[in-house]
Amino acid sequence: MDRKRVPGPELSVAPLVEYPIDHERWTPQQEKRHDPKRQPEDLRPIYLKTGLISQASGSAYIELENTKLACGVYGPRPVKKIGQGFSGMGVLNCDFKFATFACVKRRNNTRQDPQEKELSQILSQALAPAVRLELLPKSVIDVYITVLESDGWGSCLAAAITAASVALAHAGIEMLDLVAGCSASYMQIGPSISSTTTETSSSSGAGNPITPQIQIFMDADTEEEKYEQGAIVLAYMPSLNEVTHLLQNGKAEGPIINQSVEHCMEACNKVYAVMHHALLESMKESKDA
């Protein structure tokens, strides 16, 4: 820095950063989550509102505490690609994008990164079985998701599925059923694997070995996802009792995965009631207007 042109202050004071005295880093414990108000099977409170984007055919805004995103649906409209022949099925295009300020690490605002492209494809696969694309030949439906704040990768994807389904219904597009999304994470509770093997070898076969427990946390946030051994995201149509998409990562035994799927299906039924209420409220507002 050129001090002749840009003189600095004569005196400077270091900033004071105060941390709470009782600040402790959260670690996974049985029946205790990062949010002490929630039990392992509880979801975060959901706020869902339609009609946020006036220029779109249908729109929805969803908020789960620190997870906030907006969805806009445009179409159906004719395909404008030159050289594309007649298609008896409509096309569902999904665009998933994080805002620049949505995550702790600043995101690129110009183009999609590989994670956003993957989430766009997953979102399209989760919604396509519920939309009557056979009734929209040579047409395209564009779904745009913008994440304003992200608090958990799984919950963000599940919220995008829920908001996109409500936005499609708000746009008047014929669907077989609404698609509700839910996520679940499973993590080890109790002693770690290394400590378990150490205690077992030191006991020299005396006593029963300590076996770690696996706890399922529904709708995990970012802090809880740091300790997860695996997670699933389920897209489910409650009225038809059909799963449109299931995404699983990490390692887990079959019974744990089956239990996670059952918990997600029960949670989707609760989310389904919120989706119905939001659509009914939008119909009442349109009638009053």
Side-chain angles (χ1 to χ4, degrees):
M1 183 179 67
D2 189 356
R3 297 187 177 275
K4 294 182 179 180
R5 297 183 178 180
V6 187
E10 296 180 359
L11 298 176
S12 60
V13 180
L16 299 177
V17 181
E18 297 182 359
Y19 295 96
I21 300 177
D22 57 347
H23 177 72
E24 295 181 0
R25 187 175 181 180
W26 179 84
T27 55
Q29 299 178 6
Q30 190 172 9
E31 301 298 333
K32 185 177 180 181
R33 305 191 60 170
H34 181 241
D35 184 2
K37 299 179 182 179
R38 286 200 294 158
Q39 296 297 323
E41 67 277 1
D42 291 342
L43 304 176
R44 280 176 278 188
I46 301 175
Y47 173 79
L48 185 59
K49 180 70 174 178
T50 60
L52 177 69
I53 306 173
S54 58
Q55 295 85 359
S57 303
S59 60
Y61 171 79
I62 189 169
E63 182 175 323
L64 294 86
E65 291 185 350
N66 292 333
T67 298
K68 305 177 182 67
L69 56 89
C71 175
V73 174
Y74 298 86
R77 48 193 177 186
V79 179
K80 296 183 180 180
K81 290 185 179 180
I82 301 176
Q84 184 174 357
F86 176 80
S87 176
M89 295 284 291
V91 180
L92 181 65
N93 293 330
C94 296
D95 183 275
F96 195 102
K97 193 76 179 71
F98 287 95
T100 309
F101 48 84
C103 304
V104 177
K105 184 178 179 180
R106 191 173 181 86
R107 308 296 293 248
N108 191 350
N109 195 28
T110 57
R111 61 182 184 276
Q112 283 186 323
D113 55 24
Q115 184 187 18
E116 292 172 338
K117 292 180 180 179
E118 180 184 4
L119 293 176
S120 300
Q121 184 178 4
I122 294 172
L123 183 63
S124 178
Q125 293 174 354
L127 297 174
V131 182
R132 299 289 304 275
L133 295 176
E134 68 275 7
L135 301 179
L136 303 170
K138 208 175 181 180
S139 301
V140 61
I141 303 172
D142 296 320
V143 179
Y144 294 95
I145 295 287
T146 303
V147 180
L148 304 176
E149 186 176 358
S150 175
D151 188 15
W153 176 85
S155 65
C156 188
L157 178 57
I161 295 172
T162 302
S165 178
V166 173
L168 287 169
H170 183 251
I173 298 173
E174 188 170 348
M175 304 172 64
L176 296 175
D177 191 13
L178 295 175
V179 182
C182 186
S183 64
S185 300
Y186 30 87
M187 56 192 68
Q188 179 178 306
I189 303 298
S192 61
I193 298 176
S194 59
S195 62
T196 304
T197 55
T198 304
E199 292 185 18
T200 306
S201 59
S202 62
S203 61
S204 301
N208 297 326
I210 302 175
T211 57
Q213 299 179 1
I214 301 297
Q215 180 67 51
I216 300 173
F217 284 171
M218 303 296 299
D219 193 16
D221 56 15
T222 303
E223 191 66 26
E224 293 172 343
E225 285 184 349
K226 296 179 181 179
Y227 299 92
E228 69 180 12
Q229 291 185 340
I232 67 169
V233 179
L234 181 75
Y236 179 64
M237 294 189 292
S239 295
L240 300 179
N241 193 20
E242 291 185 3
V243 176
T244 60
H245 193 79
L246 175 63
L247 179 65
Q248 194 269 340
N249 60 357
K251 292 184 179 180
E253 297 180 356
I256 297 298
I257 297 177
N258 293 336
Q259 188 177 2
S260 302
V261 172
E262 292 178 359
H263 288 180
C264 285
M265 292 173 66
E266 294 177 0
C268 285
N269 289 323
K270 301 177 182 178
V271 178
Y272 191 71
V274 179
M275 299 166 70
H276 262 285
H277 178 73
L279 290 173
L280 289 175
E281 288 294 327
S282 66
M283 293 178 61
K284 291 180 181 178
E285 292 177 1
S286 61
K287 288 181 180 180
D288 294 339

